[in-house]
Amino acid sequence: MIATGIIMGQLKDGYRIAIFTLGILLVFRGLIKLFYYLTMARYMVGGKRILFTSVFMLDLGGFSLTLTDIPRMFVLLYLLIIYASSGIIHLLRSIEAKKLQSPIWRRPFVLGLGNIIIAALCVILRKDDTLMGWIFAAGIIYSGLLRVINSLRRTAIVYIQ
């Protein structure tokens, strides 16, 4: 994500690379979830949710791969919708975790708030495609950095001794 954000910010057509990468990753992730459903999840409680998620990811990835030939504004609006919905989901998840008195509610709150701020900035500055592209590039780098920080965080479970 960090590399994609840097490429998207530096190149004039960096958004095409970002959309292509996003599409490939969504298709790949959808295929992995579909394989998981076919091998194990169909026997589990909630297995149909994994099937629906895999089909949705495959569809979204295929749709993303077709967006490389349309104007940049439509692609950025598509990314704006993804950022806004992701931010709302993270905020709702953090509110639920806080109600359950979980100590891990701050990271989803910060991530969701950041995504919503990025989406709001893009709505405000929607007339300038270049500035909107830079904002999205900064948002992708921000999300990547938060994921790296989360992966380096200590956990309460000891995995390997």
Side-chain angles (χ1 to χ4, degrees):
M1 289 180 76
I2 295 171
T4 302
I6 292 171
I7 290 170
M8 189 174 169
Q10 296 296 322
L11 299 176
K12 185 173 178 122
D13 262 358
Y15 79 99
R16 288 182 193 250
I17 294 169
I19 286 294
F20 181 74
T21 304
L22 177 70
I24 293 294
L25 289 174
L26 284 170
V27 167
F28 186 67
R29 181 119 185 204
L31 288 174
I32 288 174
K33 284 192 172 275
L34 185 62
F35 179 74
Y36 176 64
Y37 170 77
L38 291 173
T39 56
M40 290 177 54
R42 64 179 164 178
Y43 304 113
M44 295 172 19
V45 174
K48 285 188 181 181
R49 183 178 57 90
I50 293 172
L51 174 66
F52 295 143
T53 304
S54 68
V55 170
F56 181 71
M57 283 186 173
L58 282 170
D59 288 343
L60 194 59
F63 179 68
S64 296
L65 289 174
T66 63
L67 291 178
T68 56
D69 295 332
I70 65 173
R72 184 178 181 152
M73 186 65 177
F74 292 119
V75 173
L76 293 176
L77 286 174
Y78 169 68
L79 289 173
L80 172 72
I81 292 169
I82 290 175
Y83 260 96
S85 61
S86 171
I88 290 169
I89 289 170
H90 283 294
L91 279 178
L92 292 175
R93 202 179 280 169
S94 70
I95 290 169
E96 181 183 353
K98 185 167 174 129
K99 282 182 183 175
L100 296 174
Q101 297 176 349
S102 174
I104 311 173
W105 64 272
R106 288 178 185 92
R107 190 193 73 79
F109 182 78
V110 169
L111 183 61
L113 194 62
N115 285 346
I116 289 175
I117 289 171
I118 290 167
L121 279 174
C122 287
V123 167
I124 293 168
L125 304 168
R126 69 183 174 271
K127 300 211 189 271
D128 188 4
D129 289 348
T130 306
L131 189 58
M132 204 164 145
W134 287 344
I135 291 171
F136 273 118
I140 291 172
I141 293 170
Y142 164 76
S143 296
L145 287 174
L146 281 181
R147 287 176 188 248
V148 168
I149 289 169
N150 188 41
S151 68
L152 297 175
R153 192 171 40 106
R154 288 194 173 267
T155 60
I157 301 171
V158 177
Y159 292 105
I160 299 174
Q161 287 190 346

